[in-house]
């Protein structure tokens, strides 16, 4: 299935990037997952988009956790490292919730008219907000994170925009979408602190 394959590849890449000196910032952002879900969901029926998004994110989370363990074993042979099952289950729950919401939200991206433009702008707003969040908190990560965000935005626009009028509508909605997106991409950090580390 395309969704599961996309999730496994994205999660595996993020796990590899986690231990890579140059690409590590990508493992600490949501840009990979946002771009994957947008490209999978755009133009799909909402029900199908939700199912595909949930499957993709679930596969990505599993691949990321297992991949991190495998890469740790390669980089540090003989050192003990175990998957935190409780943490994995919490991220799987979040993956299903986020997959359902974003799959539904991104399904209309690329459709003609204002609704399609707003949904495309929502994707771009999330990508921009995520890159801004990481870059301001970790300035050294900015080159990698911003470059990926630009490439992801271009890919999303290539898949969803079919006319100059539609592009203008998307551009007009992107700034407010980025402000909303900044709030949204900050939520998982807060939830992780509350649920996993037990503090704020």
């Amino acid at each position: 299935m395309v969704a599961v394959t996309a999730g496994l590849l994205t999660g595996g890449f993020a796990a590899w990037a986690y231990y890579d000196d140059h690409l590590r910032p990508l493992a600490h952002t949501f840009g990979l997952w946002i771009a994957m879900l947008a490209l999978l969901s755009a133009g799909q029926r909402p029900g199908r988009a939700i199912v595909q998004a949930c499957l993709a994110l679930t596969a990505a989370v599993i691949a990321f956790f297992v991949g991190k363990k495998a890469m740790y074993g390669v980089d540090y042979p003989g050192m003990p490292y175990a998957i935190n099952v409780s943490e994995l289950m919490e991220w799987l729950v979040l993956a299903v919730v986020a997959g359902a919401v974003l799959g539904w939200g991104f399904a209309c991206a690329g459709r003609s008219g204002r609704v399609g433009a707003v949904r495309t702008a929502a994707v771009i707003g999330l990508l921009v907000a995520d890159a801004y969040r990481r870059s301001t908190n970790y300035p050294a990560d900015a080159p990698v994170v911003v470059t990926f965000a630009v490439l992801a935005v271009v890919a999303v626009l290539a898949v969803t925009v079919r006319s100059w009028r539609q592009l203008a509508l998307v551009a007009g909605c992107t700034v407010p979408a980025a402000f909303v997106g900044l709030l949204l991409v900050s939520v998982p950090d807060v939830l992780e602190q509350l649920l996993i580390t037990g503090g704020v």
Side-chain angles (χ1 to χ4, degrees):
M1 182 176 285
V2 174
V4 173
T5 301
L8 292 174
L9 290 174
T10 305
F13 174 79
W16 174 74
Y18 188 86
Y19 292 101
D20 184 79
D21 291 337
H22 302 293
L23 298 178
R24 184 176 296 128
L26 295 181
H28 296 284
T29 66
F30 300 112
L32 285 171
W33 324 110
I34 294 167
M36 175 187 70
L37 293 181
L39 296 174
L40 278 174
S41 303
Q44 302 285 344
R45 288 179 289 105
R48 178 177 172 80
I50 289 170
V51 170
Q52 289 203 89
C54 289
L55 287 173
L57 270 188
T58 299
V61 167
I62 293 171
F64 181 67
F65 274 82
V66 173
K68 274 197 346 180
K69 176 178 172 61
M71 290 302 300
Y72 186 88
V74 170
D75 287 350
Y76 308 100
M79 297 295 289
Y81 180 79
I83 295 174
N84 185 328
V85 177
S86 175
E87 184 179 358
L88 172 60
M89 294 306 297
E90 288 167 350
W91 277 106
L92 286 173
V93 171
L94 289 174
V96 172
V97 173
V101 172
L102 296 179
W104 173 81
F106 294 167
C108 292
R111 294 185 183 176
S112 59
R114 185 167 296 277
V115 172
V118 168
R119 300 295 175 87
T120 298
V123 176
I124 295 170
L126 284 171
L127 289 168
V128 169
D130 184 57
Y132 174 80
R133 177 187 65 92
R134 185 68 190 183
S135 297
T136 53
N137 291 334
Y138 302 90
D141 292 352
V144 172
V145 172
V146 171
T147 298
F148 175 81
V150 169
L151 293 174
V153 166
V154 170
V156 169
L157 289 175
V159 169
T160 59
V161 172
R162 296 288 179 267
S163 69
W164 290 109
R165 179 180 180 276
Q166 193 174 18
L167 182 60
L169 286 172
V170 170
C173 299
T174 295
V175 172
F179 282 109
V180 175
L182 187 58
L183 296 175
L184 293 176
V185 298
S186 300
V187 169
D189 290 339
V190 175
L191 289 176
E192 183 178 20
Q193 289 179 326
L194 291 173
L195 299 174
I196 296 172
T197 65
V200 291

